[in-house]
Amino acid sequence: MNARMMLCSFLLLVLPVLPAVPREAAAAPAFDVLVRGGTVLDGRGGPPFVADVGIRGDRIVAIGALAGKEAATVIEAAGLAVAPGFINMLSWSNESLIQDGRSQGGIRQGVTLEVLGEGTSMGPLNADMKRRLRAGQTFGRYEVEWTSLAEYLRFLEKRGISTNVASFIGAGTVRTHVLGLADVQPTPAQLEQMRELVRREMEEGALGIGTALIYAPGTYARTEELIELCKVAARYKGKYTSHIRSEGRRISEAIDELVRISREAGIPAEIHHLKLAGPANWGKVEAVLAQINRARAQGLAITANMYLYPASSTGLVARIPTWAHDGGPEALYRRLEDTPTREKIAREMRASSEATRVVFARFRKPELRPLIGKTLAEVAKARGRDEVDTILDLVLEDRSRIQSVFFIIDERNIARQLREPWVSLGSDGASMAPEGIFLEGSTHPRAYGNVARLLGKYVREDNVLTLPEAVRRLSGLPATNLGLDKPGGRGFLAEGMYADVVVFDPKTIADRATFDEPHQYSTGVRHVLVNGVPVLRDGEHTGAKPGRAVWGPGKVR
């Protein structure tokens, strides 16, 4: 054996044998998903531009001319709009996402983040609150496997959801945790307990404090109590959101309270579902907008969200005076069963009532469900009772809130409010599907159509907003308000941001849900990606559930 052969034999013995490199690995695609040739609206409100969007994992990694680049999945978007995932600033999907994590009603409009927590939240809970939550479940039955709000969000994530979720801490929930459901004021020690609950949840990633100040027990809270809770949230870059104390006769005073909380707690504040309720108040719109703009001119970060329909939706029990709710639902039912107390309640309701068309949407008891879709006036006439007695009778019979639709909003005011650059969108509804348990009741069309209505009616048909500005209201603006807009965050199409992406047809997007037939999907959204995963392809749900809990900017890592 010559020297060369001996050297080769030696090398074969001592050098490791390297595996062959597969041809496919050598030519790995540049992107996992490539959205090709669409008209990009990046969430900032500027002019659209044609570009490709390259996605790797859960991030956007390239935007531009990416011709020749390979991708595992290619979405052809020529002639379509490509936008950041839309943010629903006020969602009631707390329970619907447990029942059906696909979030169909929202996803089919391009909603990739549902924001929860108007007044009440799914935590923090104590044992008594868990019992009441189990007893009052709306959509099916589920075990309450969590205690804190953060645990609830992780529960959803683990269970599997197609959309992202985030939540405010309900001030009413914190109050109930410490004080119960009674109309009482906290002692200094109890207020400190409430502040501590807020601190824990803010460190775990809550977005801030949410209130609903026309509903018990939230309405029992004085302004000073709310300021103290908001001071804690402010230390963690939180925000204050509120269904303000009045949307009617005393709306100016209610906005003054929100502004005071913002100023004294040092916290940004948002008005939930800004509206003027009832014809007697519709003419106040310019004064209300001027009031908000004055606060903004003083340096306060005051914003608002809206839904775009001429009716609200809440429980029929909201018509009953606040004092009658003291102690919770069971205490209310006992008062209604006591004749003198019921008569007092009825007198107050008749003295303060305003003629409003009310349509029933949901009853707990099956025997009352034939009334769904009927008006309060129709049912009162059929029963031979006036409307006030009919309300009290039905609340006692169903022993529930009786979700209803109230026609109290002027559509001219909707268009006027939308023109303010600080207004975003919140459906104030649950993301549902027209199937299964959801069909046991009716709902408000906003649950299926709020976003699509903006892009169809108010952009394409009525020209209230331009398309780039409307996309900003649905993405960049709410993300900035929530503190989620930092590099690597959400709300914009930019390199390094999370790949929440919507591809839709501006020429056809429209809401289809109506007050008579609300369980109808919107149309015009072609593709939706959540954290880089296609959830909607060619208008159909893929079944994927890549949604995550989204944490506030103050979360202690």
Side-chain angles (χ1 to χ4, degrees):
M1 183 180 292
N2 59 35
R4 184 174 180 178
M5 292 177 65
M6 291 177 64
L7 177 61
C8 289
S9 299
F10 173 76
L11 290 174
L12 287 171
L13 289 172
V14 300
L15 291 179
V17 178
L18 298 176
V21 178
R23 186 180 300 273
E24 305 85 76
F31 308 112
D32 295 320
V33 180
L34 179 63
V35 182
R36 189 157 57 192
T39 300
V40 172
L41 300 113
D42 63 8
R44 294 180 173 83
F49 55 94
V50 175
D52 306 320
V53 179
I55 295 165
R56 190 179 303 123
D58 62 0
R59 300 284 177 165
I60 298 169
V61 295
I63 298 178
L66 305 177
K69 300 289 186 180
E70 297 296 324
T73 299
V74 176
I75 295 174
E76 298 292 350
L80 302 175
V82 181
F86 300 147
I87 298 173
N88 181 5
M89 280 293 285
L90 175 53
S91 172
W92 277 104
S93 298
N94 312 50
E95 292 185 283
S96 65
L97 287 175
I98 297 174
Q99 176 66 24
D100 183 358
R102 294 173 299 169
S103 191
Q104 293 256 35
I107 287 291
R108 288 170 183 263
Q109 297 179 78
V111 174
T112 61
L113 174 58
E114 301 277 0
V115 180
L116 314 172
E118 181 205 343
T120 59
S121 54
M122 297 297 268
L125 305 175
N126 58 30
D128 193 48
M129 295 166 76
K130 286 186 177 186
R131 177 189 61 77
R132 285 197 297 271
L133 183 56
R134 282 191 292 268
Q137 291 169 359
T138 303
F139 299 120
R141 289 289 173 262
Y142 54 86
E143 288 302 313
V144 183
E145 300 177 14
W146 63 90
T147 297
S148 73
L149 177 56
E151 289 168 352
Y152 161 75
L153 294 175
R154 285 192 287 266
F155 164 82
L156 283 182
E157 187 179 78
K158 182 179 178 181
R159 189 177 180 90
I161 48 175
S162 296
T163 188
N164 299 311
V165 288
S167 185
F168 286 84
I169 311 159
T173 300
V174 171
R175 173 172 247 275
T176 301
H177 195 289
V178 176
L179 303 175
L181 298 171
D183 182 3
V184 296
Q185 299 307 309
T187 65
Q190 288 171 326
L191 183 58
E192 189 53 40
Q193 290 178 49
M194 295 163 70
R195 287 166 52 87
E196 176 63 15
L197 288 171
V198 172
R199 183 192 66 76
R200 290 180 198 167
E201 294 289 4
M202 291 302 301
E203 290 188 350
E204 283 291 312
L207 296 173
I209 299 292
T211 62
L213 299 178
I214 70 167
Y215 304 115
T219 191
Y220 303 142
R222 295 175 181 168
T223 309
E224 292 76 14
E225 175 184 317
L226 302 177
I227 290 170
E228 289 304 309
L229 300 186
C230 285
K231 283 179 178 177
V232 179
R235 294 206 299 264
Y236 298 89
K237 302 177 183 178
K239 186 181 183 75
Y240 173 61
T241 66
S242 182
H243 179 147
I244 55 178
R245 215 174 281 268
S246 171
E247 297 170 326
R249 183 173 58 87
R250 297 181 61 83
I251 189 170
S252 177
E253 293 90 332
I255 293 172
D256 281 343
E257 180 184 41
L258 177 121
V259 169
R260 179 188 168 194
I261 291 168
S262 175
R263 179 180 291 111
E264 295 189 21
I267 195 168
E270 173 141 322
I271 299 170
H272 273 325
H273 42 66
L274 177 64
K275 60 181 173 291
L276 287 302
N281 300 295
W282 290 349
K284 299 177 181 178
V285 64
E286 294 299 337
V288 162
L289 296 177
Q291 185 179 3
I292 295 169
N293 279 318
R294 281 195 299 273
R296 289 173 56 82
Q298 294 166 6
L300 297 178
I302 309 296
T303 53
N305 59 67
M306 291 174 57
Y307 51 80
L308 307 178
Y309 295 85
S312 66
S313 182
T314 189
L316 198 63
V317 294
R319 288 284 189 91
I320 298 173
T322 299
W323 62 264
H325 296 268
D326 184 0
E330 292 303 322
L332 170 64
Y333 304 145
R334 288 194 296 272
R335 290 185 180 102
L336 295 181
E337 290 166 339
D338 177 70
T339 300
T341 308
R342 175 180 166 132
E343 289 175 351
K344 179 183 178 184
I345 292 169
R347 283 195 302 272
E348 290 191 20
M349 291 173 67
R350 292 187 182 102
S352 62
S353 65
E354 184 175 320
T356 302
R357 182 168 175 256
V358 180
V359 178
F360 299 123
R362 180 172 291 274
F363 289 92
R364 186 174 66 86
K365 292 186 177 179
E367 56 267 31
L368 289 173
R369 289 176 189 163
L371 301 181
I372 291 172
K374 296 184 182 299
T375 68
L376 172 60
E378 290 170 341
V379 174
K381 182 178 180 180
R383 289 182 166 216
R385 307 276 277 172
D386 74 357
E387 291 192 7
V388 168
D389 277 325
T390 301
I391 291 171
L392 301 181
D393 291 343
L394 289 173
V395 168
L396 262 183
E397 290 172 40
D398 202 52
R399 301 184 95 78
S400 81
R401 300 179 70 249
I402 308 182
Q403 194 71 20
S404 303
V405 176
F406 299 79
F407 289 82
I408 57 172
I409 302 169
D410 184 1
E411 288 200 82
R412 292 168 297 183
N413 284 351
I414 294 174
R416 173 63 188 91
Q417 292 166 203
L418 265 180
R419 292 188 173 94
E420 294 296 329
W422 36 264
V423 171
S424 59
L425 263 68
S427 72
D428 199 16
S431 183
M432 298 180 282
E435 59 187 58
I437 197 168
F438 300 120
L439 295 180
E440 290 183 1
S442 184
T443 189
H444 191 297
R446 64 193 183 189
Y448 287 93
N450 198 46
V451 167
R453 189 170 179 82
L454 174 69
L455 298 172
K457 174 178 171 57
Y458 287 98
V459 172
R460 185 179 62 246
E461 297 174 11
D462 296 350
N463 297 306
V464 173
L465 297 179
T466 66
L467 184 59
E469 176 62 10
V471 168
R472 184 185 76 86
R473 305 294 189 87
L474 294 167
S475 56
L477 175 63
T480 300
N481 289 343
L482 295 170
L484 304 178
D485 59 320
K486 304 301 184 287
R490 302 179 193 271
F492 299 95
L493 287 186
E495 292 180 11
M497 302 294 276
Y498 280 103
D500 296 337
V501 182
V502 181
V503 181
F504 67 95
D505 186 348
K507 298 185 295 296
T508 64
I509 191 166
D511 61 314
R512 299 300 184 202
T514 66
F515 288 105
D516 291 332
E517 298 288 340
H519 286 292
Q520 297 188 76
Y521 291 134
S522 293
T523 58
V525 173
R526 300 283 187 85
H527 311 282
V528 177
L529 285 81
V530 177
N531 298 312
V533 177
V535 171
L536 200 74
R537 287 298 307 268
D538 298 313
E540 293 300 325
H541 205 292
T542 67
K545 295 180 178 178
R548 299 176 186 170
V550 173
W551 307 111
K555 180 176 172 61
V556 177
R557 305 292 186 234

